[in-house]
Amino acid sequence: MTLILPPIPNLHAITPEIIVVVTSLLVLVIDIIQPRGKKGKLAFLGAVGLAAAGLSSYNLLQHPLAADISGFSVDAYAQFFKIIFCLAGLMVIGISVRYLDLEGFSLGEYYSIILLAILGQMVMASGTNLLVIYVGLELMAISLYILAGFFKDHPKSNEASVKYFLLGSFSSGIFLYGIMMTYGLTGSLDLSVIAGKIEGSQFTGLLLLAVVMMGAGFAFKIAAAPFHFWTPDVYEGSPTSVTAFMSVGPKAAAFAVLIRVFSTAFGSLRIEWTTLFICLSIATMVTGNLIALRQTNIKRMLAYSSIAHAGYLMIGFVAGGEMGISSMMFYLMIYAFMNIGAFGVVILLNRVGGIGDQIDDFAGLSKVSRASAFVMMVFMFSLAGIPPTAGFAGKFYIFMAAVKSGYVWLAVIGVLNSAVSAYYYLRVIMRMYMAEPNGEPVLNVSTALSAILLIAVVGILAIGIFPGFCLDLARASVTSIL
């Protein structure tokens, strides 16, 4: 009897995933023999692994490879998002080292779990089968539950972990119901097969319910209103470095899947789901910005700001086409620099036990450290969308895409919301430059944190003045799914 072996897929096409898995395992193994309190080398190893995976994704984006892997695509679109995941992970590891030392939780498994969460995000971005997407989503979610409760002696961290677990379980259940109903109606979990079954067939209310349930599942993951519930509590209670990670990586991964699923599988129902996302976008922008105005804790303010930014991103999704989707992808890359950078400055002022998280703790920072105040000002300007920062370029292209697609009124709502957000971002700058310091703040300066803040500031100013390279990269990537 001849034994027929299945064909071996082109492993070169999944190099980024292989690098991340191997690095994660290496960190775990070396952690066993590494003395307690000397985990900086593990952070360095994790950062090197992510840098290598990011470079590999960039190479695959420039030189795509064909790979016959069922339910898994290695197209340029997926590679673009993998670059964002690796960039965000690299920055988060950089701002974590000193912070974890101060809090007494410098443990090697932290870096390994970060890498596993990024692996889940990579699988989500490449998934072309709903089951593969779900596996990636759960890998990411379970890693984040652990990270949210990483400070096991802190009641707020434990509360954040439990709330995030309940929130994640609820959203996964809704998403699974959507998958189940889609499978029941079409007989397939493959996105292209589902698209073929739906196109030209009679539209049914049950199909609309399946689309709404999957949309609601994604809305939970990107913390869109009214599905944001405990998101600010989770952001406030989690370790600050984990909050920085949660605000960028999972959001980018959820948008990557949202675009692929709705553009590919449900593309013929665009008119129906566009109305759903217009309502979500407006509710998310208004809710996030109005509640952020009242916050005195900077982590909660950035949490509600993150909710508002999800609303801006949905404008690009509603606009659709090459310009709308590429502007979303461009904005997500910028968001990694400005949001993780802002959390980096929060860590700079952090003292053990979460002290230093209030906006008032930034009072007079310019008199204590001009450099720290300047970098925070750049991040706040960019989040508010003030030129010549990258945040301005990102919002400009998103609103321009909406105008060109005929959603002028939606772009106007976005601009008005952006104007409202300027108030709470500028309030931080005013406290830094126009108030007297509250005592003698101690800055947790470290080489890694300083390097990350410098990279973020340079990135924001460089992309803001010369957006061409990143924008062209996003446009080249989006053509692989449209």
Side-chain angles (χ1 to χ4, degrees), residues 92-137:
V92 167
I93 286 177
I95 66 174
S96 298
V97 181
R98 175 81 172 143
Y99 174 65
L100 295 181
D101 275 342
L102 285 172
E103 295 283 352
F105 285 93
S106 181
L107 304 172
E109 56 262 38
Y110 173 86
Y111 304 107
S112 182
I113 297 170
I114 289 266
L115 289 161
L116 288 177
I118 291 170
L119 178 66
Q121 292 162 12
M122 288 178 158
V123 173
M124 287 171 69
S126 280
T128 56
N129 180 293
L130 290 174
L131 195 58
V132 173
I133 291 170
Y134 184 74
V135 169
L137 191 147

Side-chain angles (χ1 to χ4, degrees), residues 32-282:
I32 298 170
I33 56 175
Q34 194 77 12
R36 189 177 176 86
K38 293 187 177 179
K39 306 299 182 183
K41 289 177 184 173
L42 298 177
F44 180 73
L45 176 60
V48 169
L50 285 175
L55 287 172
S56 175
S57 289
Y58 179 74
N59 185 47
L60 288 169
L61 191 156
Q62 299 287 358
H63 309 286
L65 288 175
D68 186 18
I69 306 173
S70 181
F72 196 87
S73 171
V74 292
D75 56 12
Y77 171 79
Q79 304 306 332
F80 184 90
F81 277 99
K82 288 174 191 175
I83 293 171
I84 296 178
F85 305 147
C86 292
L87 175 67
L90 190 60
M91 292 179 71
V92 167
I93 286 177
I95 66 174
S96 298
V97 181
R98 175 81 172 143
Y99 174 65
L100 295 181
D101 275 342
L102 285 172
E103 295 283 352
F105 285 93
S106 181
L107 304 172
E109 56 262 38
Y110 173 86
Y111 304 107
S112 182
I113 297 170
I114 289 266
L115 289 161
L116 288 177
I118 291 170
L119 178 66
Q121 292 162 12
M122 288 178 158
V123 173
M124 287 171 69
S126 280
T128 56
N129 180 293
L130 290 174
L131 195 58
V132 173
I133 291 170
Y134 184 74
V135 169
L137 191 147
E138 285 303 298
L139 177 58
M140 177 189 76
I142 292 169
S143 304
L144 292 177
Y145 304 150
I146 300 168
L147 288 172
F150 201 73
F151 289 174
K152 56 187 178 184
D153 296 338
H154 297 189
K156 279 194 169 184
S157 184
N158 291 331
E159 181 188 339
S161 182
V162 171
K163 284 186 173 178
Y164 201 49
F165 172 72
L166 293 174
L167 198 65
S169 303
F170 192 56
S171 65
S172 291
I174 291 177
F175 185 61
L176 264 181
Y177 268 117
I179 291 176
M180 181 190 71
M181 292 174 72
T182 305
Y183 181 75
L185 291 167
T186 62
S188 177
L189 293 172
D190 188 90
L191 299 183
S192 56
V193 176
I194 293 169
K197 296 275 186 181
I198 292 175
E199 196 168 9
S201 65
Q202 192 174 1
F203 178 76
T204 65
L206 206 54
L207 183 58
L208 178 62
L209 183 60
V211 172
V212 168
M213 293 190 83
M214 292 186 71
F218 286 123
F220 271 110
K221 294 298 178 191
I222 60 176
F227 304 101
H228 59 288
F229 297 138
W230 285 331
T231 302
D233 295 347
V234 173
Y235 276 34
E236 184 186 358
S238 300
T240 306
S241 55
V242 175
T243 309
F245 183 60
M246 287 195 292
S247 69
V248 177
K251 192 184 292 290
F255 270 110
V257 179
L258 179 72
I259 296 167
R260 194 187 285 279
V261 170
F262 279 77
S263 299
T264 306
F266 303 128
S268 58
L269 303 176
R270 180 174 173 78
I271 295 173
E272 283 76 17
W273 56 253
T274 295
T275 308
L276 171 70
F277 285 104
I278 286 174
C279 297
L280 279 177
S281 172
I282 296 170

